[in-house]
């Protein structure tokens, strides 16, 4: 068995972002938390319009990550589909059912974290799935 080359946290973030958008995750933001916490380099926060979509986004991330040679260290919340937390070590993904995201408001809690500048092709997709009033940076 050959070992796969290590990918950077930014490359992993871009892959996971694309996988989430492939499942039509809404209101996706990528926060650069490298200077704010040692728990991860990036947070991806996104929403689904139903618990089933939240579960589908999480499953898509897990399946596609495995295809790329990496996997989450931990996954929590998939059964209910209200808030799925996926820990990819240097990237943490939060997938919320829309009303639950509003309630916990991680976007404001981590509001001091800069939003990562995504490549134009990815930023266009993020914009296509923007449903909340929050502007995309």
């Amino acid at each position: 068995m050959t070992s796969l080359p290590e990918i950077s946290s930014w490359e992993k973030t871009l892959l996971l972002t694309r996988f989430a958008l492939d499942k039509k995750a809404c209101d996706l933001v990528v926060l650069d938390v490298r200077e704010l916490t040692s728990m991860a380099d990036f947070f991806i926060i996104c929403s689904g319009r139903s618990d089933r979509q939240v579960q589908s986004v999480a499953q898509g991330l897990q399946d596609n990550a495995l295809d790329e040679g990496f996997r989450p260290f931990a996954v929590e919340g998939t059964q209910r589909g209200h808030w799925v937390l996926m820990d990819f070590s240097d990237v943490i993904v939060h997938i919320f059912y829309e009303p639950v995201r509003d309630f916990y408001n991680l976007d404001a809690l981590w509001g001091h974290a800069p939003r990562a500048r995504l490549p134009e092709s990815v930023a266009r997709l993020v914009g296509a799935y923007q449903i909340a009033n929050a502007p995309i940076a």
Side-chain angles (χ1 to χ4, degrees), residues 33-92:
V33 296
R34 290 177 288 191
E35 300 297 321
L36 303 172
T37 183
S38 61
M39 75 174 82
D41 292 340
F42 296 97
F43 285 174
I44 299 172
I45 304 172
C46 60
S47 300
R49 293 182 175 205
S50 68
D51 57 347
R52 284 212 182 245
Q53 185 184 13
V54 169
Q55 292 165 331
S56 176
V57 171
Q59 190 63 53
L61 287 173
Q62 194 158 351
D63 293 345
N64 286 298
L66 285 171
D67 290 345
E68 292 292 329
F70 63 96
R71 72 174 91 177
F73 289 96
V75 178
E76 298 290 333
T78 53
Q79 286 195 343
R80 289 200 62 212
H82 286 189
W83 179 0
V84 176
L85 173 75
M86 303 183 80
D87 180 356
F88 288 91
S89 180
D90 47 0
V91 182
I92 296 178

